[in-house]
Amino acid sequence: MAFKGATYKRCSCTQPGTKKQLGSQCPKLKRSNGMWSSNHGTWSYQAELPKNHDGTRRTRRRHGFASQTDAQDQLDKIADLVAVGERRGDTALAAIGDLIDNRLRTGEPFPTPDEVEKQLDEGNASLGAMPTVGEWLTSWITTRKKIREGTRIAYQFHITNWLTPHLGHYRLDVLTVDHISGMFDAMAERNDTITAANDSDDPEVRKSVHGLRIISAATMQRYRATLRAALNAAIRAQKITFNPAAYVELPSGRRPKALLWTPDRVERWQRTGHKPSRVMVWTPEQIGKFLDQAEGHPYYALFHLIAYRGLRRGEACGLPWWNVDLVSRSITISTAIVQLGWRAEFGEPKSEASGRIVALDEATTLVLRRQKNHQNEQRVAAGTDWVEQELVCTERDGGPLHPAKLTDAFHAIADAAELPPVRLHDLRHGAATLMLAAGADLKVVQELLGHSTIAVTADTYAHVLPELARETAEAAASIVPRNRPTAA
């Protein structure tokens, strides 16, 4: 086929009576000498693209160009691509028509004729008009800009390890709920294999799965969330109209309930090594024992802030002095040190709700004053080797503290104090424990911890609250003097 295309000028003027747009018939578009007016209307083009695969025509028009040159430039690019298809036969011509149509719809720039020739030579008959799931995931993670680096790393891990190997070969528009469910079935089968091997009496069988971890329901939910986000982007790009990931049924993956290390649970842990929940919380007495053990440690100020005021690890390591107001006794959380693999860098708090102002109690204010005096002594001792970062807690030379070092120090101190195991992140739960024990409202705890919703707070501490209430009730009852024991 010979490519057909033309440029023309049009405007939005209307007929006085009917209000019908005059378009290219407006008399103001041309001057009296027959030349086009330079200050009225805009340029457009009409292109006859290669026919659809079913033989139907597709005429496309685009408007709003500032000059005829701009409109003709776009038309020439279309004509050059059509010429490539004409040399390759009807199948390639239809595929190039699909490519042009897709780029006109999405607003993406046209590829060069050489790029199209190369794709055809490599056997890419679709020319990217409808990518595979793998191609789309790669494009999505590469071009997405408004995303935290830690989230990007997690997305990339999901894409590389499961999404592309199991779903990448499907064309984006034919991906189904069954395809995605099959991937999660494969995860479940892998879990069964690991569990069976770990329970085996054969040491070689156990060795075969050494280091492999069960994929939890919560992790499966995160894989689905990554895929769902990528497919939602494909819907916005008008590649597909339906997101199958949204309809895959999975176990709820709810966050584990926080449980207190009560005496009975501590005794059982000492006897069996079993933790009742992945999220365990120290009692106020256990928190005090830890802080007593940590007194004098270079990182004590950060442990105190996490235990009393609920800072996240990265928020504590990245807290600058300019966000600490010792006069009004408050700190502002607006920065954090984020760990990406082993690399650590300055970033923003976890979410919008994480940016917050935290009130300080008198004891915490005193700890920070003491830390400031200690840091001034360090600065003098380091002399010209001091690296000024203006952070509350630093290395000996003033450089930022790597979050992993804080975690290592935490476990060493907890072990020395012979306390039952919790994660450093669970020390942050200590702040909530102390406030709940003091009768604080869940809304206050939510704001202290920077949770996005009160539902997150309530869900996390649903089991802690009644246990603390029982302890409070026992404490209140114990102060009432009785001459006789309570009747059974």
Side-chain angles (χ1 to χ4, degrees):
M1 61 162 277
F3 174 71
K4 295 180 181 179
T7 59
Y8 58 95
K9 204 172 192 188
R10 66 193 295 273
C11 70
S12 57
C13 295
T14 58
Q15 293 178 345
T18 64
K19 301 298 182 181
K20 181 180 178 181
Q21 283 198 356
L22 295 173
S24 60
Q25 305 301 315
C26 178
K28 296 180 182 179
L29 291 174
K30 287 190 175 182
R31 302 183 186 135
S32 57
N33 60 3
M35 300 294 290
W36 291 106
S37 172
S38 60
N39 57 6
H40 190 77
T42 58
W43 284 92
S44 307
Y45 69 76
Q46 174 177 305
E48 194 70 33
L49 302 187
K51 291 181 180 179
N52 285 303
H53 296 269
D54 60 2
T56 55
R57 293 177 56 190
R58 44 182 165 187
T59 304
R60 301 293 182 260
R61 300 176 181 85
R62 291 297 181 270
H63 312 294
F65 295 94
S67 68
Q68 186 176 21
T69 300
D70 292 340
Q72 187 63 49
D73 177 63
Q74 290 293 300
L75 203 58
D76 290 344
K77 289 179 179 179
I78 294 174
D80 290 342
L81 293 176
V82 171
V84 172
E86 290 172 340
R87 296 193 296 270
R88 296 275 187 154
D90 291 344
T91 301
L93 187 61
I96 287 175
D98 292 341
L99 169 67
I100 296 170
D101 212 7
N102 183 63
R103 296 300 175 91
L104 288 175
R105 185 170 59 251
T106 64
E108 298 175 81
F110 297 122
T112 66
D114 288 345
E115 290 170 339
V116 172
E117 294 269 17
K118 182 179 179 182
Q119 289 190 58
L120 290 171
D121 289 341
E122 293 174 350
N124 185 358
S126 71
L127 297 177
M130 181 54 67
T132 64
V133 173
E135 290 170 342
W136 177 254
L137 289 171
T138 299
S139 171
W140 172 71
I141 194 63
T142 303
T143 59
R144 192 171 181 192
K145 292 181 172 61
K146 293 183 178 180
I147 180 175
R148 289 168 56 91
E149 188 59 24
T151 304
R152 186 186 303 279
I153 290 174
Y155 283 169
Q156 188 63 65
F157 181 86
H158 295 164
I159 291 169
T160 302
N161 285 275
W162 278 90
L163 298 181
T164 294
H166 287 263
L167 305 174
H169 59 286
Y170 293 111
R171 213 173 73 171
L172 189 62
D173 60 339
V174 301
L175 184 67
T176 67
V177 173
D178 286 343
H179 294 151
I180 302 170
S181 295
M183 180 188 73
F184 288 111
D185 288 342
M187 287 185 181
E189 290 175 7
R190 175 184 178 276
N191 286 347
D192 292 341
T193 300
I194 294 172
T195 300
N198 284 329
D199 292 340
S200 173
D201 294 331
D202 187 338
E204 289 300 317
V205 174
R206 293 197 301 272
K207 185 178 178 181
S208 68
V209 296
H210 178 70
L212 298 181
R213 299 176 61 182
I214 295 292
I215 301 175
S216 68
T219 300
M220 289 186 187
Q221 290 283 357
R222 286 192 282 272
Y223 271 96
R224 184 177 71 163
T226 298
L227 181 60
R228 188 166 54 197
L231 296 181
N232 281 338
I235 291 174
R236 290 192 294 272
Q238 299 182 346
K239 300 282 186 183
I240 55 176
T241 58
F242 167 74
N243 189 335
Y247 295 89
V248 175
E249 293 186 1
L250 290 176
S252 65
R254 292 177 179 174
R255 60 175 50 83
K257 301 294 184 182
L259 295 178
L260 277 178
W261 271 119
T262 59
D264 287 345
R265 289 173 182 150
V266 172
E267 186 276 329
R268 183 167 183 262
W269 163 72
Q270 291 172 335
R271 182 166 38 85
T272 66
H274 176 72
K275 284 177 61 176
S277 173
R278 187 163 60 85
V279 179
M280 295 303 297
V281 181
W282 282 334
T283 64
E285 292 76 18
Q286 291 161 342
I287 295 169
K289 187 175 181 181
F290 170 81
L291 293 175
D292 286 344
Q293 185 72 35
E295 274 282 1
H297 193 280
Y299 309 154
Y300 176 80
L302 299 191
F303 292 134
H304 189 104
L305 280 169
I306 295 171
Y308 274 76
R309 299 285 81 195
L311 272 64
R312 296 178 176 89
R313 182 181 70 165
E315 295 169 350
C317 291
L319 179 65
W321 281 114
W322 66 77
N323 275 347
V324 178
D325 190 338
L326 295 176
V327 176
S328 65
R329 298 201 331 204
S330 68
I331 58 176
T332 301
I333 306 300
S334 62
T335 60
I337 292 182
V338 183
Q339 188 172 335
L340 310 171
W342 177 252
R343 179 169 57 91
E345 62 182 35
F346 285 95
E348 296 180 350
K350 183 179 180 181
S351 65
E352 186 175 347
S354 301
R356 60 201 187 278
I357 296 176
V358 178
L360 300 178
D361 56 278
E362 186 175 347
T364 304
T365 304
L366 181 60
V367 166
L368 288 173
R369 289 188 188 278
R370 190 174 62 192
Q371 171 65 12
K372 195 160 195 175
N373 292 334
H374 173 64
Q375 195 176 79
N376 288 334
E377 294 171 359
Q378 285 184 307
R379 185 181 290 105
V380 171
T384 56
D385 292 333
W386 183 263
V387 181
E388 188 57 74
Q389 296 284 346
E390 298 188 68
L391 295 173
V392 167
C393 191
T394 67
E395 297 285 13
R396 288 182 177 275
D397 65 353
L401 176 64
H402 195 291
K405 295 186 69 174
L406 189 66
T407 298
D408 291 343
F410 167 76
H411 288 299
I413 295 168
D415 289 344
E418 298 182 343
L419 287 163
V422 301
R423 304 169 302 168
L424 174 57
H425 188 75
D426 297 334
L427 181 61
R428 157 179 154 85
H429 295 311
T433 306
L434 295 173
M435 293 195 70
L436 291 171
D441 183 83
L442 273 178
K443 182 66 178 176
V444 176
V445 177
Q446 174 206 343
E447 292 172 352
L448 174 74
L449 299 181
H451 285 160
S452 55
T453 67
I454 196 170
V456 173
T457 313
D459 193 38
T460 302
Y461 299 107
H463 285 52
V464 173
L465 193 55
E467 289 181 330
L468 286 172
R470 282 195 296 273
E471 287 195 358
T472 302
E474 291 295 337
S478 68
I479 65 174
V480 179
R482 299 296 302 272
N483 293 325
R484 296 182 184 178
T486 304

